[in-house]
Amino acid sequence: MTVTDDRTAEQDAPQGEVGRDRRRKEDQRLITGRTRWTDNMQLQGMLHLSMVRSPYAHARITGIDAGAAESSPNVVAVITGEDVKEIQGSLPTAWPITPDQKAPPHPAIAVDRVAFAGEIVAVVVARTAAAARDAAELVDVDYEELPAALDLRQSAGDDVLAHPDLGTNRSATWTFDSAEAGTGEDVEAAIRDAEVLIEREYRQQRLIPAFMEPRSVVVDPTGEQFVMWSATQVPHILRLMLALTLGVPESKVRVIAPDVGGGFGGKLQVTPEEIITFLAARRTGRPCKWTETRSESLLSGHHGRDQWQKLTLAARKDGTVTGLKVELLADMGAYLGLVTPGVPILGAFMYNAIYKFPAYHFTCTNVFTNKTWTDAYRGAGRPEATFAIERLMDELAAELGRDPLEVREQNWITHEEFPFTSVCGLEYDSGNYEAATARAKELFGYDELRAEQARRRESGDRVQLGIGVSTFTEMCGLAPSRVLGSLDYGAGGWESASVRMLPSGKVEVVTGASAHGQGHETAWSQIVADQLGVPFEDVEVLHGDTQVSPRGLDTYGSRSLVVGGQAVVQAAQGVVEKAKPLAAHLLEANVDDLEFSSGRFRVRGAGDDQEGIGLTDLALKVFTAHDLPDGMEPTLDADATFDPENFSFPHGTHLCAMEVDTETGQSRMRSYVSVDDVGNVVNPLIVDGQIHGGLVQGIAQALWEEAVYDDQGTLVSGSFVDYTLPTSADTISFVTDRTVSPATTNDLGAKGVGEAGAIASTPAVVNAVVDAVRPMGIHDIQMPCTPERVWRAIEDSRQGGSTPTEDSAQPHFTQDAPNQDDPGPDGPAGGTAYPQEGGRA
């Protein structure tokens, strides 16, 4: 459910296409079964691949017998790591966060050792997919099992090495200190002088992107180029990395991302399977296809999150925050993917969130384990940061005996203070946290629910009511290039677009942003329709093909609209500027006397009845080139590349009411309200869909989802029977709304929206669950807050134990000491011990 905000109807009514609810152009082919999924590709003589994967988390390969597989019907070849070890290279990492970062070689096919269960050790190439799968079962691999590093905190102590050749499991340690950076004060002094000190540890469980369309790759080597179709978010980046990894001229590689069924960061990768399919096609000289099974997707596609967070918050007794210290251990898994090491660093700039912390210190140590490697997952570092600080602000409010919204309001940046430079040195350009929160409270019925909560507590009701708060901002629209360069990121943050005026008056838009469900074709059409004054239906958007769109940096980090959309705006403006001299020539006027609106050039001051000349008419006249001004080229097409000067900073307030049965631990969502400020909106229908999808994804982390390994390193949540994705039956009708603080960093005034719901919802839900049982002395429940975990926390509290089961003296984050195992998937929460009363927690 979506309700309108409190702006007037006149303000809400769009004057053009931008701001109008438009059903997505893309949906027509999707709902009629005319999609262009990669797995739909059928090429003459195409071969099929099946991967042979290690069942062990860590083992030495002592022998591979492929004889039975090679002699199977319809099998063309079996390829092992030994066969391609000289040509397969190592999968790329684009983000070395420190000069001394350690990284093991990452072959697409393991040669002599495997480092996680699911790593590829051989590939069968056959004439049919079924024959390839059957023959893969016949490949006999001998392993010598090795000790596996599985527990994140123990691995940080180097007791068992995930990669013995590295000599350590620690990949890199990255630090930011506000005093050293000159952006704030000394955090150790703030902690030393604190009147109230809150220390907590939180666990960000490992998650699986679980996109709707499985990954799929087709490579055709039979023409002048290698043509790869891939279900990827990053066709341009993939093309470059293929060329660099395999030593193929970039001009000889074409990558096409056709319809892509979701990604959530899970397809922001250069995968072993893409490299392998390319190698198989080059080896056989025939088109090759690989499409993963769902089990393969859960097992070997990269995972997300997986951190231990230790936070220390310093404050005064009046509730004013004075300092924040963050210490992270981040699980890289077995290898470094494309942006694996940088994901936690993205969150480094967001732990301070919307609050005016005078002092801040952040340290992250990246650790290798023998598990599937991690990388970007919806929000990429920002959800982890928001969760931690919003949980911590609730803890501060509880310690002070105050309303959590009141404490937040006391410390947040007021709307009069924008633009505001944060303690991390980022400039937040615009925002109004007061307006979003006031609207959320109104829609939620905050005061009434607090009153009901008090009545239930007084009566000792078996079902207690918890109210969760999450106020957030995020840095998105990943750019600018100079900032990314200062963080040693291996690419820029710009985006490119072209607008082509066809002789018929129709318009083609070529964008470097590559959609995988966001509705680019619709939104870009709305933008160009308004810029050029042409009908929405007359705009065609082309994307996802490196030959059609040769320049681009693709789609991730909520950058499509605020970076790619702005490039489209500038290209459209370039068309108008190119058309001006011709319009002036035909209207016998000076260029400076022209004005352009609603698709027509008119002479300023010539009266309202003048007809002028339309841009679509000029398109035909340029094509014929019969009467052009001297020196004018016969084209109105324009290109633009936009590299923003700042990130985008959407924000919002999310409120959640959870009912918790104190006898069973069962939690039920009663209501959920989110009020988000994403700046100006191009298509409200698309924005609402993004918010709803993000909400469900974030709520799922709070309540249901977790990738679980056993003590041998086997993924035991390797199917949707065990990895519990929510369905529509598991959710409620959300109430969503928007306030508008236009961005100042792009002409559209837009901010990112793709990750907002997933960032804000997780702490809102967990805060609500904890709030329901806080009177029982419970201060934390480890995600996901399953009924068993909630019940165990309640039982522990009734038996007089502290909520956390971890030994508070255990040196979880020291440089040289091993740590206790993580609690099991259904065990109670971890963390430090919390006193019930007093000024220092």
Side-chain angles (χ1 to χ4, degrees), residues 374-392:
T374 59
D375 210 302
Y377 174 64
R378 198 171 190 168
R382 281 75 50 80
E384 296 93 310
T386 299
F387 176 84
I389 188 59
E390 288 304 288
R391 288 287 295 113
L392 208 58

Side-chain angles (χ1 to χ4, degrees), residues 166-249:
L166 292 182
T168 179
N169 289 326
R170 294 169 179 263
S171 175
T173 296
W174 191 92
T175 299
F176 175 88
D177 186 274
S178 60
E180 293 180 2
T183 57
E185 302 170 7
D186 178 26
V187 77
E188 296 301 335
I191 291 172
R192 184 178 60 247
D193 298 337
E195 297 172 345
V196 179
L197 199 64
I198 308 290
E199 293 183 333
R200 297 291 186 267
E201 289 185 17
Y202 298 120
R203 178 73 168 117
Q204 282 281 328
Q205 78 269 39
R206 179 176 281 244
L207 300 176
I208 299 176
F211 28 73
M212 184 174 291
E213 177 211 14
R215 296 174 299 157
S216 184
V217 188
V218 173
V219 176
D220 185 358
T222 59
E224 294 298 317
Q225 294 175 302
F226 288 92
V227 182
M228 174 182 284
W229 292 263
S230 181
T232 181
Q233 296 176 222
V234 289
H236 296 89
I237 293 173
L238 176 57
R239 179 196 189 203
L240 173 62
M241 293 303 178
L242 285 170
L244 294 177
T245 301
L246 298 177
V248 180

Side-chain angles (χ1 to χ4, degrees), residues 90 121 152 181 245 318 360 367 428 470 589 616 619 660 711 719 761 781:
S90 178
V121 297
L152 171 57
T245 301
D318 68 357
Y360 174 62
V367 179
Y428 297 177
S470 176
T616 54
V660 177
D711 58 6
S719 76
S761 57
I781 298 171

Side-chain angles (χ1 to χ4, degrees), residues 78 175 211 272 543 572 680 823:
V78 176
T175 299
F211 28 73
H543 62 88
N680 293 334

